[in-house]
Amino acid sequence: QLQFVESGGGLVQPGGSLRLSCSASGAPLGASAIGWFRQAPGKGREEVSCINIRTNFANFAYSVKGRFTFSRDNAENTVYLQMNNLKPEDTAVYYCVAVRASDGFCTYRTLPTAKWGQGTQVTVAS
């Protein structure tokens, strides 16, 4: 099974930034695409971003487009979600999970072998 570890969450003021990390504890990620999802209290899971790590294609939800970007550290087998200009509505638990890649792009469909991790809490509040 493919399970990743999320980290980097925390409490930040509106307008602040955080960088979330997604790794397989030092091992290769083992997936062609990574999806970021979030779940706020009392709400369903929301798609945030997906990244094809072979082609660097990335998709971002409308609610975060222009504020979130991704980067990667091949040596560390880590993908990062850079979150800028954070808003209170970004408050949620964030998860990264292996998703299906398609023709160099990415989807939000999780792989059959993907397992959800514990997530990392992001709280945006003054």
Side-chain angles (χ1 to χ4, degrees):
Q1 282 187 315
L2 289 173
Q3 184 173 12
F4 304 139
V5 177
E6 307 92 344
S7 62
L11 172 64
V12 64
Q13 292 186 341
S17 299
L18 285 173
R19 188 178 75 162
L20 305 185
S21 301
C22 176
S23 71
S25 300
L29 291 170
S32 297
I34 305 297
W36 285 97
F37 298 77
R38 67 187 182 186
Q39 188 164 19
K43 296 188 177 181
R45 193 168 286 162
E46 178 187 10
E47 301 164 350
V48 176
S49 174
C50 72
I51 300 115
N52 186 310
I53 60 176
R54 307 283 186 240
T55 64
N56 288 333
F57 170 83
N59 174 269
F60 295 91
Y62 179 80
S63 59
V64 306
K65 195 170 291 186
R67 301 187 296 121
F68 290 12
T69 60
F70 94 95
S71 62
R72 53 190 292 186
D73 184 332
N74 293 334
E76 298 293 329
N77 294 306
T78 301
V79 172
Y80 301 99
L81 182 69
Q82 178 68 43
M83 307 187 299
N84 300 323
N85 191 22
L86 283 161
K87 303 176 180 181
E89 51 264 42
D90 294 318
T91 295
V93 178
Y94 284 70
Y95 303 88
C96 66
V97 66
V99 295
R100 292 187 181 274
S102 176
D103 297 330
F105 302 102
C106 56
T107 74
Y108 290 100
R109 293 176 293 161
T110 57
L111 292 178
T113 53
K115 186 177 180 181
W116 294 90
Q118 295 296 311
T120 186
Q121 175 71 47
V122 171
T123 302
V124 185
S126 54

